Amino acid sequence: MSVLKVDLDGSKLEQWATVLSTRGLRAAIRRAIDRSATAARKVALKVIAQDIGAPVARIKPGVTKLRRTTQSDLTASFSANKLRIGILNTSGAKLGTGGLTASTHRVTGGGSSSLKIKSAFLVHANGGTFVAFRTSRSRLPLKGVYAEHPGTALGQPGAAAQVAWQQEAEKQLAERMPQEIQKQLLAEGLPYTAPPDND
């Protein structure tokens, strides 16, 4: 699970808290977090897709929708899970007489960034197809070849998607929080004054 965790300078909210209704302030904070997390999730989806080497539409089933804030919990989160993506669904993957040539873990890096398996072949089973290779000289067992999971693309420490999500969330929240506070002040008929910059 990837949770939006951004440190806020509480002193900058103090001035607004003295004039805004408690419910109004909380609503403004919730809107800022939800909208920031939504925008950051879109960036994360794009980077996950780039890392795997598959279209965003193909990896979306492996990424949950955003769990938005509630009145009692100012947390926004989503999960990236295991999802089998056939290696031939990644861009540039080729399977021919020379075997399989493909790549995944393209942005973050990893063991499959340059994948070549000479003995790989196509298997037709249960109404579908997948690339496999034999793990021994025997006919069985076979091992399927799949792209990186979305959960791996987001969950690895320092993964490109994780870094992009955090950076975008922080950027969005820094921009949206004052905007949402201003909207709430106007909605409550109060004048807007930006809090002093104490940095």
Side-chain angles (χ1 to χ4, degrees), residues 123-130:
V123 177
H124 300 275
N126 300 323
T129 59
F130 64 96

Side-chain angles (χ1 to χ4, degrees), residues 5-158:
K5 292 182 179 178
V6 180
D7 293 329
L8 290 175
D9 183 353
S11 65
K12 291 188 177 183
L13 294 175
E14 288 177 3
Q15 182 180 344
W16 291 324
T18 60
V19 293
L20 268 177
S21 66
T22 302
R23 187 178 183 86
L25 179 62
R26 194 169 188 84
I29 292 171
R30 286 184 61 197
R31 287 194 304 270
I33 292 173
D34 287 340
R35 289 172 181 171
S36 297
T38 298
R41 179 183 173 275
K42 286 181 182 177
V43 170
L45 278 169
K46 184 178 177 181
V47 178
I48 290 170
Q50 289 172 346
D51 203 35
I52 293 172
V56 171
R58 186 68 185 83
I59 61 106
K60 265 188 176 180
V63 180
T64 65
K65 291 184 178 179
L66 189 73
R67 186 183 70 80
R68 298 179 181 275
T69 60
T70 65
Q71 283 291 338
S72 59
D73 184 5
L74 296 178
T75 302
S77 64
F78 69 93
S79 298
N81 308 307
K82 287 187 176 181
L83 175 69
R84 277 193 168 182
I85 300 171
I87 197 66
L88 290 181
N89 289 309
T90 62
S91 60
K94 294 179 182 177
L95 180 65
T97 54
L100 172 71
T101 302
S103 65
T104 187
H105 300 275
R106 298 175 181 207
V107 182
T108 300
S112 299
S113 56
S114 180
L115 183 64
K116 293 182 180 179
I117 305 174
K118 288 183 179 179
S119 59
F121 55 93
L122 202 60
V123 177
H124 300 275
N126 300 323
T129 59
F130 64 96
V131 176
F133 63 95
R134 291 186 173 88
T135 58
S136 68
R137 293 188 177 185
S138 302
R139 186 170 175 272
L140 295 173
L142 300 178
K143 185 172 183 180
V145 184
Y146 298 95
E148 173 187 19
H149 290 299
T152 302
L154 184 65
Q156 288 177 311

Side-chain angles (χ1 to χ4, degrees), residues 153-174:
L154 184 65
Q156 288 177 311
Q162 192 179 98
V163 172
W165 150 260
Q166 188 69 26
Q167 289 178 345
E168 186 65 18
E170 290 175 354
K171 173 178 169 284
Q172 290 284 336
L173 195 58

